[in-house]
Amino acid sequence: MKKNKIVRMKILVLNCGSSSVKYQIIDGGKLNLLVRGSVSEIGSEDALFWQQRDNGSEVKFKSSILDHEQAVQQILDSLLFKKTGILKDISEIFAIGHRVVHGGEYFSKPTLITDEVIEKITECSQLAPLHNPPQIKGIEACKRLIKGIPQVAVFDTAFHQTMPDYAFHYGIPYKFYEKYRIRRYGFHGTSHYYVANRVAKLMDRPLEKIKVITCHLGNGSSVAAVKNGKCIDTSMGFTPLEGLIMGTRSGDIDCSAVLYLMKHEKISAAQMDNILNKESGLKGISGNSNDMQKIVEAAKNGDERNQNALDMFCYRVKKYIGAYAAALNGVDAIVFTAGIGENAASVRASICEGLDYIGVKFNHLANKQTIGTEAVITKNDSKTKIWVIPTNEEIVIAKQTLDVVYHINGM
Ligand code: ADP
């Protein structure tokens, strides 16, 4: 097939969660977003379907959608709707890119999905029991419903596979790494990859010659140290629990405190897992919410625990920036992205206070004026630049899906 025919075709990007499927159709030429949408509350008679076209028109309705296959079928049907759809024929979909959370040590790059690949993703489900299984369901559904269209898996963990062994190993007996592959994997890889590439472009610097610290601050948050385009360390670990304080996750904590609590509160491993992942972080500290906007608001109104949660969040990010500046032996750019990183100017300002030792001259006015857009928030003579860059994981998935399929077709 000729490349110019392919570029008129469309890529379907799917992000399957346990009870939702998010999707986008991206045009294969300019990589523009054409349609996005979601099916949520899968498994219910009242599942919610939502779709928005590039011209702003929206479709919303409730319908009985009992499993992921029905969700994918509904998405395909709606893409063909006469008035609001975007496709005349399903064959316009050139390839499907799937977000897959955990690729373990098997996958360090986007990969064409075969039966063998599905087997390995299934094996990695042990490491991500909440995430990989619904993503496999999405892959299987596409296999059955749109036969013959190439599918590509893009892994959250892949970008971090370049970490050196001294960064990814934990200080526990080596046999546990050998037996269970217990190590740091890191997550949000597609987002860190995107903003690290983007900042090099914006600064007109070759990616191979730039040291970047990328801060993905959303409900889940992580920081990565990226040297010459390769990840050398990241804050999330064996699971997305480690590192920063997050909406409901504790981040770093002394394991002995966990054991102590289990003993004295007589709680099971499953209960402790729930506390650390769902009841901790901003929510656990503030007693208010996991939502940063609400925490900022309550802190502004003088609530001490919310202020404390905010201070802890910012301090932890600042500590990681310092650690990664050391790991990188200096830093050219720091990037903020995701919900908090893109929108919360006051949080960015707190994190960046006192970074003059690494050559940061913060521009408070530019920072205040930057909400959800690409902008530099340091002064012109700042040696280290700080950028806000909205993340775009779907574009990366679409682009990498195209690259894999072009390559396989020998183009
Ligand atoms: P997810 O990890 O679920 O993709 P997002 O990247 O959308 O999450 O980030 C969600 C977080 O961003 C929430 O804590 C939300 O409160 C926060 N956020 C969004 N806008 C603002 C804002 N203007 N000020 C403070 N926090 C914000």
Side-chain angles (χ1 to χ4, degrees), residues 184 213 223 234-236 242-244 252 315-325:
R184 174 181 312 286
I213 298 173
V223 185
T234 189
S235 59
M236 281 180 169
E242 196 182 348
L244 302 180
D252 298 337
Y315 178 65
R316 185 74 59 90
V317 180
K318 190 201 294 276
K319 266 208 314 194
Y320 268 97
I321 289 174
Y324 289 168

Side-chain angles (χ1 to χ4, degrees), residues 22 188 216-221 247 249 282 289-297 337-347 371 391 393:
K22 291 185 192 147
H188 296 140
H216 177 111
L217 310 180
N219 269 321
S221 297
R249 293 178 219 150
L282 297 175
S289 173
N290 63 319
D291 190 304
M292 182 56 99
Q293 246 172 317
K294 291 190 179 143
I295 304 278
V296 169
E297 200 50 39
T337 193
I340 299 170
E342 291 164 26
N343 301 302
S346 64
V347 175
I371 298 172
T391 193
E393 287 154 290

Side-chain angles (χ1 to χ4, degrees), residues 53-303:
R53 286 268 312 259
D54 49 350
N55 61 12
S57 66
E58 277 188 290
V59 183
K60 257 188 213 171
F61 55 85
K62 285 188 173 177
S63 158
S64 164
I65 298 177
L66 299 179
D67 57 31
H68 285 73
E69 183 153 337
Q70 285 184 11
V72 173
Q73 184 67 64
Q74 182 61 73
I75 291 167
L76 296 175
D77 290 348
S78 67
L79 292 171
L80 293 166
F81 281 166
K82 267 219 166 105
K83 270 195 182 155
T84 53
I86 190 102
L87 305 178
K88 292 214 164 59
D89 192 281
I90 224 65
S91 65
E92 287 173 50
I93 298 178
F94 171 64
I96 304 167
H98 290 268
R99 176 192 178 210
V100 179
V101 165
H102 218 307
E105 288 185 325
Y106 289 126
F107 301 104
S108 56
K109 54 182 197 282
T111 305
L112 186 76
I113 297 175
T114 60
D115 288 343
E116 197 190 325
V117 168
I118 295 175
E119 254 172 53
K120 287 189 173 142
I121 297 173
T122 307
E123 228 182 277
C124 294
S125 291
Q126 290 176 33
L127 302 171
L130 298 180
H131 293 100
N132 278 24
Q135 288 155 3
I136 295 164
K137 282 186 193 163
I139 292 168
E140 296 285 9
C142 291
K143 242 175 89 178
R144 280 190 292 272
L145 297 171
I146 11 181
K147 290 189 181 72
I149 294 180
Q151 300 195 64
V152 173
V154 178
F155 299 92
D156 276 18
T157 47
F159 180 58
H160 303 301
Q161 279 292 304
T162 47
M163 278 185 287
D165 56 3
Y166 54 78
F168 73 67
H169 276 304
Y170 291 120
I172 56 174
Y174 198 80
K175 65 180 177 190
F176 295 131
Y177 168 66
E178 292 176 318
K179 195 168 174 190
Y180 300 108
R181 286 290 179 260
I182 297 207
R183 50 160 285 178
R184 174 181 312 286
Y185 289 100
F187 300 86
H188 296 140
T190 309
S191 177
H192 289 293
Y193 167 87
Y194 174 77
V195 297
N197 277 263
R198 187 81 193 126
V199 81
K201 238 187 213 131
L202 290 166
M203 289 173 68
D204 202 18
R205 298 271 302 267
L207 183 65
E208 303 71 32
K209 287 187 180 164
I210 187 169
K211 295 188 263 190
V212 187
I213 298 173
T214 50
C215 307
H216 177 111
L217 310 180
N219 269 321
S221 297
S222 64
V223 185
V226 185
K227 190 173 194 173
N228 308 334
K230 296 211 163 22
C231 174
I232 63 157
D233 206 350
T234 189
S235 59
M236 281 180 169
F238 178 60
T239 72
L241 181 63
E242 196 182 348
L244 302 180
I245 288 169
M246 304 175 222
T248 59
R249 293 178 219 150
S250 64
D252 298 337
I253 177 173
D254 183 343
C255 305
S256 295
V258 174
L259 299 175
Y260 184 94
L261 274 176
M262 288 173 76
K263 186 173 164 200
H264 290 272
E265 289 278 308
K266 298 190 176 46
I267 45 185
S268 67
Q271 286 168 316
M272 197 67 231
D273 186 75
N274 192 57
I275 291 171
L276 292 171
N277 278 291
K278 305 250 171 77
E279 299 296 328
S280 299
L282 297 175
K283 182 182 173 193
I285 302 154
S286 69
N288 170 19
S289 173
N290 63 319
D291 190 304
M292 182 56 99
Q293 246 172 317
K294 291 190 179 143
I295 304 278
V296 169
E297 200 50 39
K300 232 188 245 166
N301 293 332
D303 184 277

